[in-house]
Amino acid sequence: RSYDQGDSWERISDFGTGATLRAMSLSQTDTNFIYAANNTYLYSSTNAGAEWNNIYTSRNEIMALQAHPTAPEKVLVALGGYDSEMKVLEISKTKIKNLTYNLPNCPVNAIVYDSTSKQTYVGTDLGMFALADGSQAWTILGNGLPPIIVNDIKLSASTGYLYAATFGRGLWRLKIRDNHSVVPEIYAIGKTSFCSGDSVEVRVKDYPAGYKLKWSTGDTARSIIVKSAGLVYAALSDSAGLVRS
């Protein structure tokens, strides 16, 4: 660990003689949470490296880690090797969830979770794959990238681009979300205070093509008729699943 931009360093772990650190991930929301992997051993610290615990031992080499961006006690693990049943894990304290599902039987070299689009992305020896929260089916990510070895992936939060570094085929990028998504503007045609039995029309102003509209009532039309008191809102989602309401 360095406090002076790398001029000096202090050691904050002792994983044993000859232990090579393979992967590390620091929580974005609580920097007390650090995850580190030494070949097949996964360690965690909840006090900024003062103490470490072995929270998981894998039968395959741990290739990459991703501390969950909004839940610091949770970490995503990418596994190498050719074990068809163990490719991606989600570990939260003592709970282990297997997210391998239908991934091809090849090493998973890199992993990223995007809390905005609610998607997990992995780079494998056969290209890129994505998994939506709640889904049990990985899909091939994007078009144009051949089924090649992806060694590393990084998400640019400021641009919405996902970058993939490949073995021998250069650097690729894919726009996975629009950071400039449109916020819906709504207005009422008529009074918003009315007596029982009356109603008011609520409408969304014009918005660009390519967005999907959905009201809190479940309706998808440009306008709705409100007949009772309460909160009404509209949401617009773009092609990457980013929602603004």
Side-chain angles (χ1 to χ4, degrees), residues 69-82:
T70 60
E73 73 284 352
K74 187 181 297 183
V75 62
L76 293 165
V77 182
L79 301 174
Y82 293 89

Side-chain angles (χ1 to χ4, degrees), residues 117-196:
S117 61
K118 306 295 184 184
Q119 300 256 8
T120 300
Y121 303 98
V122 294
T124 77
D125 275 12
L126 290 173
M128 294 284 300
F129 295 84
L131 178 72
D133 278 6
S135 173
Q136 295 186 7
W138 292 86
T139 58
I140 296 174
L141 181 62
N143 298 310
L145 181 69
I148 54 177
I149 297 174
V150 176
N151 291 319
D152 198 11
I153 55 177
K154 290 291 185 289
L155 172 64
S156 171
S158 61
T159 64
Y161 277 107
L162 183 67
Y163 292 87
T166 70
F167 179 76
R169 296 293 294 271
L171 182 66
W172 299 65
R173 73 177 185 178
L174 175 69
K175 188 83 166 180
I176 60 170
R177 56 180 166 87
D178 183 1
N179 284 357
H180 305 286
S181 292
V182 177
V183 177
E185 296 183 64
I186 65 175
Y187 62 98
I189 302 175
K191 296 181 179 180
T192 55
S193 297
F194 49 82
C195 299
S196 178

